[in-house]
Amino acid sequence: MTKHYGTGELLTHAYMSSEDAELSRHVAECDACGRRLAAVRSELERHAANEMSPEKSETFWKRQELAVMRAIETRNRRALGIPTQIAAAAAVVFVVTAFLAGRGSVSSAPDMTTSPTATVASVETNATAVATQENGLTTRQITTDPWQSEQLEDFQNVVDWESWVEADEKKRGTI
Amino acid sequence: MASLRLITRDDGPSDRDLIDQTLGGDQAGFALLVSKYQRRIYRMAFAIVRNEADADSITQDAFVTAYVNLAKFEGRSEFETWLTRIAINKCRDQLRGRKWKLIPIGPAAGDDEAPSLDVADERPNAEREIISAQIGQAIERAVESLSAQQKVIFRLRHFEELPLEEIATLLDLAPGTVRAHLFRAVHKVRKELEPWAAANAAAGEAE
């Protein structure tokens, strides 16, 4: 009795490009199986064709192409933008660090823009100026009696009295 | 001068020329590559994911990915093969991430009610129509139960009619592995066909 092949076996044969010699020989000799195999193949093709995406217009392809190129452009722009941002951030950090460091050096150290010799000279000059000022004050104390100032003018009699009392007591030897 | 020579060539610039043009900073070269391969990539993506919007999105993504990695393309394979491989990987990722399933209308394997076949149909193409209905539904049901990898392989074979060797190349798999995956997929389709086959056989005996 001749063995006929079922749809499933023929389907496997069609998909797998089977090298099953027995099946191939049988299909070649058996009209019924040959017809069924042709029907299976044809149906697979038909199903595939029917299930394919409908034909697209040129507008669709152009839009898709533009979308791809736009996405690439955006990506490129972003890729360029990242280093710029990093550079900007680095610049900000540098400026802030430099500013803080500058403030610290001003408050804790002498101005390094002048040479050490100039600094010493400057310090010496300042010291001389202070001494001169102190001397000046001393001179003023001698030359100008604060009791004789305008503010203390009204108390001149009191001052004179105190001076008189002091002189009188010195005379009597109590001071 | 080189680009002038390329433009005046009858067969147009080669893929390698366009890639070099792109790497040199001229995106017009890549636009030509897009217009050259977008139809094929879209068609193949649709064959795998079975959804127009997804296929469109995958096609665009594949080209952008190719552009970003263009400098890494060493030319060991054709640009088209490399690009197709990128697209297929995206399709597979898409299938893996898909949370929903298509539910085809029609009886499933194991359903109590066997499909009714009009075996007495006297029309010349009656047998073909029966096979047509059987196969279409069986394929849709079977494919939904396949893994993402099996789906990709089966659909490339079924819709694109690609030879097993080409599928293996595109997926970077051994031909034997592809054959095994395809065999499992076809086996599931056959399982889905069993109720119809049984009904058909019973009807034949009744005649």
Side-chain angles (χ1 to χ4, degrees):
Chain A
M1 185 181 154
T2 309
K3 183 205 169 192
H4 292 283
Y5 289 93
T7 306
E9 289 162 306
L10 296 172
L11 189 77
T12 305
H13 182 72
Y15 271 125
M16 305 294 295
S17 305
S18 170
E19 293 168 358
D20 187 338
E22 192 184 334
L23 190 147
S24 299
R25 195 168 46 248
H26 174 81
V27 167
E29 291 170 358
C30 175
D31 284 346
C33 288
R35 229 183 20 252
R36 282 158 67 86
L37 178 60
V40 166
R41 282 194 168 133
S42 165
E43 180 48 35
L44 291 178
E45 286 170 13
R46 201 172 74 85
H47 180 264
N50 284 349
E51 294 295 315
M52 277 314 293
S53 173
E55 201 64 30
K56 297 291 179 191
S57 66
E58 276 305 310
T59 313
F60 174 85
W61 300 119
K62 195 68 204 168
R63 181 202 57 77
Q64 190 181 66
E65 184 191 325
L66 287 172
V68 170
M69 298 314 293
R70 200 161 43 237
I72 286 170
E73 205 173 302
T74 306
R75 200 182 174 91
N76 282 344
R77 219 178 296 135
R78 274 193 204 142
L80 286 173
I82 290 166
T84 308
Q85 286 168 355
I86 290 170
V92 167
V93 168
F94 176 77
V95 167
V96 169
T97 309
F99 175 72
L100 293 174
R103 270 186 63 182
S105 66
V106 164
S107 60
S108 64
D111 184 7
M112 297 306 287
T113 55
T114 54
S115 67
T117 312
T119 308
V120 170
S122 171
V123 168
E124 283 173 353
T125 310
N126 288 342
T128 309
V130 168
T132 308
Q133 194 178 6
E134 283 173 356
N135 290 341
L137 278 172
T138 310
T139 307
R140 276 199 298 275
Q141 277 178 340
I142 294 166
T143 53
T144 55
D145 186 357
W147 294 110
Q148 305 300 322
S149 66
E150 287 181 11
Q151 290 85 0
L152 297 177
E153 198 175 26
D154 297 337
F155 300 98
Q156 186 59 47
N157 295 332
V158 178
V159 172
D160 286 345
W161 177 78
E162 281 183 343
S163 300
W164 174 76
V165 169
E166 190 179 350
D168 190 47
E169 283 184 352
K170 271 183 182 174
K171 249 185 226 174
R172 283 188 287 175
T174 54
I175 297 177
Chain B
M1 290 306 287
S3 59
L4 183 66
R5 181 177 57 79
L6 292 171
I7 289 164
T8 53
R9 262 174 21 190
D10 291 341
D11 54 350
S14 68
D15 288 354
R16 189 68 250 179
D17 295 332
L18 294 172
I19 290 166
D20 290 341
Q21 188 182 337
T22 308
L23 291 175
D26 184 0
Q27 291 184 4
F30 198 76
L32 285 174
L33 285 169
V34 173
S35 77
K36 187 174 178 182
Y37 292 115
Q38 63 183 157
R39 287 164 179 79
R40 167 159 170 69
I41 297 298
Y42 173 84
R43 181 190 154 94
M44 195 216 53
F46 181 83
I48 297 172
V49 299
R50 317 297 305 148
N51 178 288
E52 289 187 26
D54 289 344
D56 185 19
S57 171
I58 285 168
T59 305
Q60 291 181 33
D61 282 354
F63 277 111
V64 173
T65 304
Y67 176 85
V68 170
N69 295 286
L70 203 57
K72 294 178 195 165
F73 175 65
E74 295 168 348
R76 281 184 295 186
S77 61
E78 292 291 318
F79 175 74
E80 184 181 4
T81 306
W82 183 66
L83 179 65
T84 308
R85 201 175 284 167
I86 291 171
I88 287 176
N89 284 336
K90 290 191 180 295
C91 290
R92 192 168 39 205
D93 291 346
Q94 214 274 349
L95 289 177
R96 282 180 180 148
R98 211 178 252 182
K99 298 284 183 239
W100 47 271
K101 284 189 169 186
L102 290 170
I103 308 295
I105 299 162
D111 281 1
D112 291 339
E113 193 179 328
S116 59
L117 296 177
D118 189 1
V119 291
D121 196 331
E122 296 293 326
R123 289 176 295 174
N125 288 329
E127 188 180 25
R128 179 161 293 195
E129 283 176 18
I130 291 164
I131 290 172
S132 170
Q134 290 173 7
I135 289 176
Q137 289 183 27
I139 287 170
E140 285 170 19
R141 283 192 175 281
V143 169
E144 287 309 315
S145 65
L146 299 177
S147 69
Q149 183 79 304
Q150 288 171 350
K151 268 182 199 169
V152 169
I153 291 170
F154 179 79
R155 285 171 170 169
L156 285 174
R157 180 79 180 119
H158 178 70
F159 292 110
E160 292 294 290
E161 297 177 12
L162 296 181
L164 295 181
E165 292 72 23
E166 194 176 338
I167 296 173
T169 304
L170 289 174
L171 295 176
D172 205 16
L173 293 172
T177 307
V178 172
R179 182 173 282 275
H181 278 302
L182 183 62
F183 185 80
R184 276 184 223 122
V186 174
H187 182 73
K188 285 189 177 173
V189 176
R190 286 181 59 172
K191 275 276 193 195
E192 291 293 335
L193 280 169
E194 276 175 7
W196 280 286
N200 209 0
E205 282 171 14
E207 267 183 25

